[in-house]
Amino acid sequence: MKNITIIEDDKALNDGIMLALTGGEYSFTQLHKLGDFNKEKATDLIILDVNLPDGNGFDFLRDFRQMSDVPVIMLTANDLETDEVMGLTLGADDYITKPFSLMVLRARIDKVLKKAKTSDVYRDDLYIFDYGRMEFFVNSNLVDLSKTEQKLLKLLTENAGRTLTRDYLVDAIWTDGAEYVDENALSVTINRLRGKLSVENEDVPIHTVYGKGYVWKREK
């Protein structure tokens, strides 16, 4: 089930959006001001009003894009091309002018979520790994990963919950035709990656399955 966060100060519209989208496939977080947004709480899409009691949606989006690529659909009462351009430039995935049809909004949401699902990005409440852009965030901090570390991480996250054997990982990562690969190469890369993904008071999701290999699993 996808979680949609609605940040809209018009209570009637906020409730209307939720009711229009209710149907079992979405859960909702309803907020009426920017200050109520909790960046630590995972969400799959944000519906964001531009004009809010405690701030501007554009400013919020600018800051939010520094730490997350969660899809954002902006709502505004201003039918101005410059506002739409600004929203899209700052990283909005779509822009809808009020008043709008709730059926149209639902179609836009479905389209944005479908696009996000097929993107080359892993995301949870602690990590964002954008393999296409080669940008990797750990607790909102950008970290630098080598090409080998990126390959290993992608294999693990694409197969989350599934144990990948050492032999499989070695064959998949070191495919440069080398006849000999140091048997410690994988262990060294795993240890480096764990160090870079480490967050205080959190378990690194790369778990050793003794005698077999490794598995990516968040244990909360």
Side-chain angles (χ1 to χ4, degrees):
M1 181 176 290
K2 299 289 187 181
N3 177 265
I4 296 178
T5 297
I6 307 170
I7 310 178
E8 165 63 64
D9 63 318
D10 184 327
K11 188 177 185 304
L13 179 56
N14 197 314
D15 291 342
I17 291 172
M18 185 193 72
L19 290 172
L21 299 175
T22 298
E25 58 186 309
Y26 301 127
S27 62
F28 300 91
T29 300
Q30 290 181 269
L31 308 177
H32 299 97
K33 57 183 180 179
L34 296 172
D36 292 335
F37 181 77
N38 180 5
K39 68 178 182 179
E40 304 299 329
K41 182 177 180 180
T43 189
D44 296 288
L45 182 141
I46 297 173
I47 298 176
L48 174 66
D49 189 23
V50 170
N51 298 308
L52 290 153
D54 59 341
N56 183 286
F58 292 135
D59 294 333
F60 172 90
L61 179 61
R62 182 183 292 108
D63 293 338
F64 184 69
R65 277 288 171 257
Q66 299 301 311
M67 65 177 185
S68 177
D69 66 343
V70 167
V72 175
I73 296 178
M74 301 201 74
L75 307 179
T76 181
N78 300 322
D79 188 14
L80 297 175
E81 187 176 274
T82 52
D83 281 354
E84 181 174 356
V85 171
M86 178 180 291
L88 296 175
T89 300
L90 291 174
D93 295 84
D94 207 341
Y95 190 99
I96 302 177
T97 302
K98 300 175 185 177
F100 53 85
S101 161
L102 291 174
M103 288 183 62
V104 169
L105 175 62
R106 187 182 184 95
R108 298 281 189 93
I109 288 172
D110 290 342
K111 181 178 179 180
V112 168
L113 286 175
K114 183 177 180 180
K115 180 180 178 182
K117 183 178 179 180
T118 58
S119 65
D120 204 11
V121 177
Y122 170 88
R123 180 193 306 112
D124 62 30
D125 61 323
L126 196 59
Y127 301 104
I128 299 173
F129 306 141
D130 189 328
Y131 297 106
R133 297 180 181 179
M134 292 187 290
E135 294 179 344
F136 304 90
F137 293 88
V138 177
N139 203 23
S140 301
N141 297 311
L142 185 66
V143 298
D144 183 43
L145 300 183
S146 70
K147 294 291 186 182
T148 301
E149 291 163 349
Q150 292 178 34
K151 287 182 181 180
L152 174 58
L153 183 61
K154 188 172 184 181
L155 285 169
L156 290 169
T157 56
E158 283 182 340
N159 295 277
R162 174 186 169 196
T163 299
L164 302 181
T165 66
R166 290 182 61 88
D167 288 344
Y168 171 81
L169 290 170
V170 169
D171 289 342
I173 296 169
W174 285 274
T175 56
D176 57 358
E179 294 183 3
Y180 173 76
V181 176
D182 188 328
E183 64 179 12
N184 292 320
L186 178 58
S187 297
V188 169
T189 306
I190 286 283
N191 288 335
R192 283 184 187 150
L193 192 53
R194 281 174 171 158
K196 293 181 179 181
L197 301 184
S198 177
V199 176
E200 188 176 0
N201 299 323
E202 295 280 351
D203 292 330
V204 176
I206 303 174
H207 300 275
T208 300
V209 181
Y210 292 99
K212 294 183 179 180
Y214 302 93
V215 60
W216 177 274
K217 183 168 61 174
R218 287 296 308 276
E219 295 182 343
K220 301 178 183 180

